[in-house]
Amino acid sequence: MIHTQFRRDAGLIRRVSSTSASQERLARVLATHDCGSRCQLHHGDMCDPCCLARLVAHIRPDEMYNLAAQSHVGVSFEIPAYTTEVNGAGALHLLEAIRLAGLQHSCRFYQASTSEMFGKVLEPVQSERTAFNPRSPYACAKLFAHTITKNYRDAYGMYAVCGLLFNHESPRRGELFVTRKISLAVAAIAAGFEDCMVLGNLDATRDWGHARDYVVAMHAMLQQPTPEDFVVATGETRSVRAFVEAAFHAGGMGSVLWQGTGLDEVAVLQAPHTAGRVVVRLSAEFTRPSEVDALIGDPRKAVATLGFNPRATPFEQLVAEMVHADMVRLAEMRAPGLVISTPEQRATSSAPAEEDHEMPIFTI
Ligand code: GDD
């Protein structure tokens, strides 16, 4: 996404023959915030440096946020060269495009660096000073983009910064990332559409925050007097297993009990009417050739300099928001117009409780 001095926004969109899920997601975002009128999308591709150079020269942006990526770490093992081209060389193409357009002293550049670059971590809590040790083609490519961004800052005096963002989630998360896979599966199980979800490594831990809080920090990084890199994280870490437990709780299905070991481990429901139902199984299909076991970030620099609030969205609230959004989506698919309410909404509603039951209601 690109900001111009006239506060018009421009974005890059890849051409595809059929409508993709991400295009639909983008259309929803533009419609929801009524930004369609001031945001122009241009066809382009991170693998096409000529097109990027032409677009940057034409748009002449004053801020540029490079969030473009093949962003699935697991998939990067299957398509490493493409991932490297988009995530690594893509950033270089943008930096060169800025320079070739003569904008190196006017256009501020944000590079989406990632906690994945810490990989097999060399310090228990990762900060801006922690050394990198990437564990996937995805992270290796991102590390190139990170270092080339710093190089353009040093070599050409560009305002070019890297945001070292730890995992940031929301109901808009792609369905193949673990948090959304879980929230969607919990909603489907609650609605009776599915019996069980299949996951990979339950014991990986991640520092999970809310994307809407992190985007504010990204913007703040480009408004500083001097260009610097920042870690953005909550400073708390939880396992995939803990996310599953919180999601079933948020979905109103009570606690789960883990039974078995290794890939034979399962989670079963505990609530009296569903007790014993297996709702999580494991498969090697969803494990990675080399895993990032544990990540937890130190956000103190972002807190002190950017005013970032790592407590803005507590973990349980993030999980509940994702699960509830998926319950609403599934209910809408089943019966358009269905009303879904949270316990908080029902507590503050003036409508008598009986009225709620005229329509099927999921609660969280
Ligand atoms: N995707 C997925 N699917 N991951 C699973 C599954 C599963 O079925 N089961 C367990 N996991 C584990 C993964 O092995 C990993 O340890 C953890 O869940 C999180 O996986 P993802 O949700 O795919 O995210 P990620 O941590 O690999 O990477 C995300 O966050 C990075 C940091 O912000 C991506 O968004 C990256 O693009 C981003 O850089």
Side-chain angles (χ1 to χ4, degrees):
M1 188 59 77
I2 285 169
H3 286 295
T4 67
Q5 63 194 109
F6 306 110
R7 308 320 300 174
R8 283 182 58 79
D9 299 329
L12 196 67
I13 187 163
R14 252 176 313 151
R15 195 195 115 58
V16 287
S17 302
S18 54
T19 312
S20 66
S22 52
Q23 281 184 329
E24 283 169 12
R25 206 165 43 142
L26 186 58
R28 268 203 304 275
V29 173
L30 293 178
T32 307
H33 298 289
D34 193 29
C35 28
S37 52
R38 59 180 176 82
C39 179
Q40 189 173 6
L41 296 178
H42 300 266
H43 279 122
D45 196 301
M46 295 301 285
C47 301
D48 183 343
C50 299
C51 135
L52 297 176
R54 185 170 38 76
L55 278 176
V56 170
H58 169 68
I59 297 166
R60 302 189 68 76
D62 54 12
E63 286 182 14
M64 188 187 298
Y65 295 82
N66 178 26
L67 314 185
Q70 189 300 97
S71 60
H72 199 286
V73 175
V75 170
S76 77
F77 289 95
E78 290 161 37
I79 46 171
Y82 173 75
T83 303
T84 302
E85 195 57 42
V86 174
N87 298 8
L92 172 62
H93 297 331
L94 288 177
L95 288 161
E96 266 299 276
I98 292 172
R99 216 166 65 83
L100 289 171
L103 300 174
Q104 65 271 30
H105 299 305
S106 61
C107 176
R108 296 188 166 199
F109 180 79
Y110 174 90
Q111 168 59 25
S113 287
T114 162
S115 52
E116 282 296 300
M117 299 185 323
F118 295 119
K120 195 166 179 58
V121 295
L122 299 172
E123 278 187 283
V125 180
Q126 300 86 52
S127 74
E128 294 82 4
R129 291 171 306 284
T130 304
F132 300 117
N133 193 15
R135 295 274 280 170
S136 63
Y138 168 85
C140 292
K142 280 285 190 176
L143 184 50
F144 170 76
H146 180 87
T147 49
I148 199 72
T149 300
K150 284 181 72 172
N151 179 247
Y152 271 56
R153 179 163 83 210
D154 297 341
Y156 304 115
M158 283 175 65
Y159 192 114
V161 301
C162 303
L164 287 145
L165 268 56
F166 283 61
N167 296 51
H168 39 289
E169 316 294 319
S170 87
R172 291 194 184 130
R173 189 54 142 149
E175 294 167 10
L176 298 182
F177 296 93
V178 78
T179 53
R180 184 73 200 294
K181 186 171 167 180
I182 295 168
S183 67
L184 201 51
V186 166
I189 292 169
F193 290 162
E194 275 178 27
D195 296 327
C196 185
M197 71 181 95
V198 184
L199 297 174
N201 179 7
L202 293 171
D203 294 316
T205 70
R206 290 290 183 275
D207 181 328
W208 275 302
H210 200 300
R212 90 182 139 223
D213 306 328
Y214 287 31
V215 163
V216 176
M218 282 165 42
H219 180 256
M221 273 181 229
L222 288 199
Q223 318 308 317
Q224 301 305 306
T226 52
E228 287 181 47
D229 302 333
F230 289 89
V231 159
V232 183
T234 69
E236 294 178 9
T237 192
R238 291 189 176 72
S239 63
V240 173
R241 189 187 296 278
F243 198 101
V244 170
E245 291 165 1
F248 277 106
H249 181 73
M253 281 176 281
S255 56
V256 294
L257 184 68
W258 300 96
Q259 296 176 338
T261 55
L263 285 176
D264 293 326
E265 188 170 5
V266 295
V268 294
L269 290 178
Q270 293 291 286
H273 57 294
T274 52
R277 259 182 69 188
V278 174
V279 285
V280 181
R281 293 187 189 280
L282 305 188
S283 166
E285 186 189 341
F286 300 111
T287 60
R288 295 169 183 182
S290 49
E291 172 68 295
V292 172
D293 298 316
L295 292 173
I296 176 167
D298 174 354
R300 280 178 296 180
K301 183 180 171 190
V303 171
T305 312
L306 307 177
F308 172 67
N309 177 7
R311 306 273 168 273
T313 310
F315 176 74
E316 290 74 17
Q317 186 184 328
L318 168 67
V319 178
E321 191 183 317
M322 292 182 72
V323 170
H324 186 237
D326 278 326
M327 287 176 134
V328 171
R329 274 193 199 112
L330 290 188
E332 276 287 332
M333 279 165 57
R334 194 158 66 169
L338 195 70
V339 172
I340 313 280
S341 65
T342 64
E344 294 75 23
Q345 287 166 336
R346 298 179 74 185
T348 55
S349 164
S350 55
E354 293 76 25
E355 271 185 33
D356 289 349
H357 299 291
E358 287 176 3
M359 293 183 265
I361 286 178
F362 294 120
T363 58
I364 61 167

